Amino acid sequence: MTDLRIQAVGDDASIHDWQYVHNLIIPGDVLSFDDVRDRTGRNRMEVAYLGDALVGCTTVRPPTKDNGATATVIARVLPEYRRRGLGTRLYERALGQARALGAQAVETVVLASNPDGLHFAEQQGFVEFERYLLREGDTVPWIDLRLT
Ligand SMILES: CC(C)(COP(=O)(O)OP(=O)(O)OC[C@H]1O[C@@H](n2cnc3c(N)ncnc32)[C@H](O)[C@@H]1OP(=O)(O)O)[C@@H](O)C(=O)NCCC(=O)NCCS
């Protein structure tokens, strides 16, 4: 298998690629290019490729003093590249980054319409603690889970 190549989001091409994966997987929360660029200032974000093919992305929201040193870690893999271990590799890498940033607790967030993501998070040891709608009129809840 071609090696997985992972790079930090920074230049325009990588911002576009991260945006593409995010918006395809989370169609209810479409982000603009500028939204994504803004997030690179707050979060640690990476994109992953097999050869030249874009396969996924990650987000690590760093721990802060105000949130009890809790980091949020999210791995995303495009549907056609799932169930071959890529999600686990991206998640473990992002979890390592969160720990290196000093996270004492780790959370993730999954859209309820995404059974693959929910199952994956539970397999990794996350337990649901909150379910909510982001905006009025939304029908699909977000699920916050904490690593136990
Ligand atoms: C969650 C997500 C990242 C998983 O990606 P993935 O690449 O399919 O992850 P993996 O391949 O590492 O693991 C998924 C399953 O495939 C299995 N698997 C891994 N390699 C496999 C292989 N070669 N053959 C068959 N199955 C395999 C794993 O054991 C795992 O099964 P399990 O959940 O029953 O234990 C992906 O579904 C996704 O992007 N979901 C949307 C975003 C999201 O909700 N993220 C969750 C927050 S972290």
Side-chain angles (χ1 to χ4, degrees), residues 25 73-78 81-89 91 108-111 114 116-121 123:
I25 293 177
V73 167
I74 306 169
R76 304 181 192 89
V77 173
L78 292 173
Y81 294 100
R82 289 181 188 170
R83 300 197 65 79
R84 53 171 97 168
L86 297 175
T88 302
R89 285 177 65 183
Y91 162 71
T108 193
V109 54
V110 179
L111 206 49
N114 177 3
D116 280 356
L118 198 53
H119 176 79
F120 177 87
Q123 289 294 113

Side-chain angles (χ1 to χ4, degrees), residues 33-108:
F33 181 89
D34 287 345
D35 292 335
V36 177
R37 192 174 43 203
D38 286 352
R39 289 183 183 207
T40 64
R42 305 196 288 275
N43 299 335
R44 180 123 188 209
M45 293 154 63
E46 292 186 327
V47 276
Y49 305 87
L50 278 180
D52 290 334
L54 174 65
V55 296
C57 73
T58 60
T59 300
V60 178
R61 296 184 200 139
T64 66
K65 274 187 271 160
D66 296 337
N67 71 11
T70 301
T72 299
V73 167
I74 306 169
R76 304 181 192 89
V77 173
L78 292 173
E80 59 270 40
Y81 294 100
R82 289 181 188 170
R83 300 197 65 79
R84 53 171 97 168
L86 297 175
T88 302
R89 285 177 65 183
L90 292 184
Y91 162 71
E92 287 178 350
R93 178 178 165 97
L95 180 63
Q97 291 169 345
R99 298 276 190 224
L101 290 167
Q104 301 292 319
V106 176
E107 295 178 359
T108 193

